Amino acid sequence: MPLLRDADLATAFDHAARSYDTLVAANPGYHAHLRRSARRLGLPGGVPGPRVLDLGCGTGASTAALAAALPGADITAVDASAGMLRRAARRPWPRPVRFVQAPVERLAAAGVRGPFDAVFAAYLLRNTADPDAVLAHAYRLLAPGGRLAVHEYALSGRAAHRAVWNAVCGGVVLPVATLLGDGPLYRHLWRSVVSFDTAGQLARRVERAGFERVRVLPLPGWQTGITHTVVARRPFDGGGEAGR
């Protein structure tokens, strides 16, 4: 089965929105890992009410992680799936969050404009047809010195970690998702990880987009070697024109 893209993927997420939170809640460490990655943005303490863009917010799990890590932040959360956004908007938020339905390449038309102090992208890049274009958009939307955190299933490259991923997806995730009627989406998610960048390749992709101080940080638990945070910064001096 080919990977789902663009409108087909958004439609699949629309259908899965009703059960998505239940499935991810069964994933040990899912929400704690998102909060850890949000803290890894490392925004300076002196920034009052930082503007933060949550790309691919889904049902709002990543948005909630940002709200917890940055309680004073002005958060704009974006997703292409209307169904996922409806779930996100119904959550109780400690302060208003702006939700916008749009693919990343149409953010300007949807009224999303920088500069932002930080961009957070969780489980997004491997689900896009052109991850380099997404990183270029993130670069342009960031203020000089702005922070990027990419929280992603990006395998280490070791055979053991790939085997764990395949075993969990094939033995647990896909059977449950199929019973819920969302087999095609979760089959896509399984295969998208296997075919996407390793963590090292993802870091090099971020560097090519013009970011500096790129680091790959692991996450604990069963997802060690499977999920990573890639953190980076837009240069202050106008360097990194590859991202423009």
Side-chain angles (χ1 to χ4, degrees), residues 1 4 36 43 49 52 60 87 92 99 102 110 114 151 165 170 204 218 222 226 230-231 236:
M1 185 189 93
L4 300 173
R36 184 180 294 229
L43 288 176
V52 179
R87 302 282 298 190
F99 290 102
H151 176 101
W165 173 252
R204 289 189 287 277
W222 79 268
I226 294 172
V230 177
V231 294
F236 281 99

Side-chain angles (χ1 to χ4, degrees), residues 20 56-62 78-79 81 84-85 87-88 99:
Y20 189 82
C57 69
T59 60
S62 55
V78 176
D79 203 277
S81 165
M84 300 293 258
L85 281 175
R87 302 282 298 190
F99 290 102

Side-chain angles (χ1 to χ4, degrees), residues 35-44 52-53 66 69-70 117-121 146-150 215 217 229-232:
R35 290 192 296 270
R36 184 180 294 229
S37 289
R39 291 193 297 270
R40 286 170 170 175
L41 281 166
L43 288 176
V52 179
L53 178 62
L66 289 167
L70 303 165
D117 298 295
V119 171
F120 192 71
R147 309 300 176 87
L148 171 73
V150 176
R215 293 184 296 150
L217 303 174
T229 320
V230 177
V231 294

Side-chain angles (χ1 to χ4, degrees), residues 25-233:
N27 179 346
Y30 184 91
H31 294 289
H33 288 171
L34 284 169
R35 290 192 296 270
R36 184 180 294 229
S37 289
R39 291 193 297 270
R40 286 170 170 175
L41 281 166
L43 288 176
V47 178
R51 294 192 73 213
V52 179
L53 178 62
D54 184 13
L55 289 179
C57 69
T59 60
S62 55
T63 318
L66 289 167
L70 303 165
D74 176 2
I75 301 174
T76 298
V78 176
D79 203 277
S81 165
M84 300 293 258
L85 281 175
R86 281 193 295 270
R87 302 282 298 190
R90 287 200 291 264
R91 287 173 177 254
W93 296 103
R95 57 180 294 156
V97 175
R98 180 188 179 199
F99 290 102
V100 179
Q101 183 191 355
V104 175
E105 62 270 18
R106 297 178 193 164
L107 290 183
V112 178
R113 294 179 175 83
F116 288 91
D117 298 295
V119 171
F120 192 71
Y123 307 119
L124 172 70
L125 289 183
R126 65 186 164 76
N127 284 320
T128 63
D130 190 347
D132 294 324
V134 172
L135 288 169
H137 280 290
Y139 185 101
R140 286 192 292 269
L141 287 164
L142 279 168
R147 309 300 176 87
L148 171 73
V150 176
H151 176 101
E152 187 59 90
Y153 290 123
L155 299 174
S156 68
R158 293 181 55 189
H161 295 145
R162 181 181 176 125
V164 170
W165 173 252
N166 287 334
V168 169
C169 288
V172 180
V173 176
L174 191 56
V176 174
T178 300
L179 286 173
L180 294 171
D182 293 312
L185 173 63
Y186 285 89
R187 193 172 293 108
H188 156 86
L189 296 175
W190 175 5
R191 294 176 178 175
S192 70
V193 174
V194 173
S195 63
F196 190 55
D197 296 347
T198 64
Q201 290 168 339
L202 178 56
R204 289 189 287 277
R205 188 188 292 274
V206 172
E207 287 176 340
R208 289 195 302 271
F211 291 91
E212 64 180 11
R213 298 190 179 182
V214 179
R215 293 184 296 150
V216 178
L217 303 174
L219 288 157
W222 79 268
Q223 293 187 58
T224 298
I226 294 172
T227 311
H228 294 83
T229 320
V230 177
V231 294
R233 186 180 77 175

